[in-house]
Amino acid sequence: MTAVHKFTMAVLAFLLIAAPAAGPQSIPPDPEVSRALAAISADSLRGNLSFIASDLLEGRDTPSRGLDIATLYIAAQFRRAGLEPAGDDGYSQTAKMLRVTEAGGSFELRMQTASRTLTVSRDQVTVVSQQSLELAGATVYKIAGPTDLESSMQGKVVALEHPGSYPGSYPGQGAHAAAALQPAAFLEVADENAPAIPRLIDADEERTRFGDVPRLIVRDPEAVKLLKDAKAGETGITVSIKLPAPTATPVTVRNVAGLLRGSDPALRQQYILLTAHHDHLGRNAAGEVFPGANDDGSGTVSVIEIAQALARMRVHPKRSIVFMTFFGEEEGELGSRYYTCHPLFPLSKTMADLNLEQMGRTDSNAGPEISNATLTGFRYSSMARTLQQAGEATGVKVYETPNGDEYFDRSDNQTFAEHGIPAHTMAVTLEFPDYHATGDVWQKIDYGNMAKVDRMIALGIVMLADSPSAPRWNRGNPKVRQYERVLEDPRRPGGPPH
């Protein structure tokens, strides 16, 4: 039994037998684990974040020079920690994508039923296409499940209420099956926060998942209601579309990944991910920088700090731990979606993802958050209880916030959940002053509190990596059934269920 495993078992045993106390419990850890946790430093976090969120990096827009500098800096910190390079180019996973610029010319999307005509404005449509399109009175056919496909979709417009898939399918299954039948376009529904124009396209993913069929993602409330209320199959809706061909310019962006290889000869082939996104919003129209210190510079430097601490352990946890930061979260989880389309490690062997967001500010809109952390989708998997136990051992309260489920699909954890992998986002504050504003600066971070929460996360990651059983979705929760079905589907990308 390794020292790490002994400590994990000691933590669990203590928590089962300890009597309730007024304050947080203090558990004498194994000396090696204790040294690793003690190495997590508020000063180190401050030093890293003061660079990541500096004006030099110009808000880390995707793509941008500042984002490239950030990836080089993160890779250097992983190299300093002694992690194994896990990318296709050292610590970098290189993504060749297309930067899309809207073409001049008139745009039109008009939807008609027997009783009404609805014209959707350009700013209410996200267009994903590399080609022009012109349709007049095309039939709209809706896919709600695998039995809704017909033998030919040629010339029709296919409506997908669930972008890229239908309930219970693996990601892209619905669109992939429909694309093979040669529809003229896809119509999808989106929430009101979707960007009007996606600035980057993964051409490989579009080809694989959507067959290069033009996609129009609408968020106009009336259009969304019309599509959601429509029956499956022939909807009785027709559409006219006029779409000028955009300009697409090749760009290169990068995820950053380092590996702490597990110590167990069998379990080292299983992977626990600790992730964050290193991009932000760039500059505003006046040239002012959005520093993105808390969102998500704080998550990025926490991944770095925890990686450096755990890499010092002479005996690694049993499972391998992948430390990774993503580009393009602010553009619709582009980096994590690129990763799951081009995984560095088998998705079928990826046991969990803990994603970190907004770790540094304690001045929550709901009041001060000291020695606290919350988890989105708190009751979705067994990970919450493990992290609560780590919190009880380190003096951090890991709690369920009342509206936490609403945030589950708003960060990179959602990408992994769509592939059946238990995944959550952890945050100190879900809502804070200066969110997506120029005032989100590194000087407003509570570094002492962030270091304390990071020690809890580091211990939780060790416990997840060293546990005899991998994290599991909570089967009694109906909200996770869609993710369980993906995991159970033998056709899912990445192989059979783990």
Side-chain angles (χ1 to χ4, degrees), residues 3-56:
V4 173
H5 186 63
K6 288 178 180 177
F7 173 59
T8 301
M9 295 300 102
V11 168
L12 297 177
F14 183 93
L15 292 171
L16 288 172
I17 64 175
Q25 299 295 329
S26 177
I27 299 176
D30 174 274
E32 186 176 359
V33 178
S34 178
R35 282 192 295 270
L37 299 185
I40 293 174
S41 158
D43 287 338
S44 177
L45 289 163
R46 182 184 290 107
N48 283 325
L49 188 53
S50 65
F51 180 80
I52 290 287
S54 66
D55 284 352
L56 173 69

Side-chain angles (χ1 to χ4, degrees), residues 257-437:
L259 174 68
L260 186 68
R261 194 170 297 277
S263 60
D264 185 273
L267 292 181
R268 69 173 52 149
Q269 300 304 319
Q270 297 181 3
Y271 303 93
I272 303 293
L273 271 57
L274 184 67
T275 62
H277 69 89
H278 57 257
D279 69 303
H280 196 55
L281 301 178
R283 296 176 180 268
N284 63 18
E288 297 175 297
V289 171
F290 293 96
N294 200 37
D295 180 19
D296 189 29
S298 65
T300 296
V301 300
S302 291
V303 170
I304 291 171
E305 190 71 11
I306 294 167
Q308 291 180 341
L310 297 187
R312 299 181 186 195
M313 297 172 64
R314 290 171 297 174
V315 180
H316 294 172
K318 289 188 174 184
R319 292 183 179 84
S320 295
I321 303 171
V322 180
F323 299 92
M324 192 178 320
T325 65
F326 300 117
F327 67 85
E329 189 271 351
E330 302 288 2
E331 297 294 325
E333 294 82 47
L334 290 181
S336 57
R337 293 192 182 282
Y338 183 89
Y339 177 83
T340 55
C341 190
H342 311 272
L344 299 170
F345 303 96
L347 297 182
S348 60
K349 297 296 183 182
T350 301
M351 302 292 106
D353 168 53
L354 181 60
N355 185 59
L356 306 183
E357 283 257 24
Q358 301 174 188
M359 302 297 298
R361 295 282 288 265
T362 53
D363 55 336
S364 166
N365 289 351
E369 295 288 357
I370 307 296
S371 299
N372 289 343
T374 190
L375 202 66
T376 64
F378 193 89
R379 297 177 184 269
Y380 286 11
S381 86
S382 61
M383 288 173 64
R385 182 57 190 144
T386 300
L387 292 164
Q388 277 187 318
Q389 291 169 336
E392 289 164 8
T394 55
V396 175
K397 179 182 178 181
V398 179
Y399 70 100
E400 179 181 14
T401 192
N403 60 341
D405 290 0
E406 297 175 13
Y407 292 85
F408 186 79
D409 62 355
R410 298 190 190 181
S411 192
D412 290 307
N413 66 288
Q414 173 67 17
T415 305
F416 293 93
E418 289 174 0
H419 286 268
I421 298 164
H424 302 260
T425 288
M426 175 158 275
V428 170
T429 54
L430 291 173
E431 296 181 357
F432 67 99
D434 306 310
Y435 173 74
H436 282 193

Side-chain angles (χ1 to χ4, degrees), residues 135-140 152-158 181-185 239:
L135 297 173
T139 300
V140 176
S152 176
M153 298 277 185
Q154 197 164 15
K156 296 180 180 179
V157 173
V158 173
L181 301 174
Q182 300 181 311
V239 297

Side-chain angles (χ1 to χ4, degrees), residues 224-237:
V224 167
K225 186 176 189 307
L226 184 63
L227 291 171
K228 285 190 172 184
D229 290 347
K231 63 181 181 180
E234 296 284 357
T235 61
I237 303 169

Side-chain angles (χ1 to χ4, degrees), residues 8 58 60 83 109 123 247 345 403 422:
T8 301
E58 301 170 342
R60 309 186 306 280
L83 300 181
L109 173 58
D123 62 359
T247 300
F345 303 96
N403 60 341

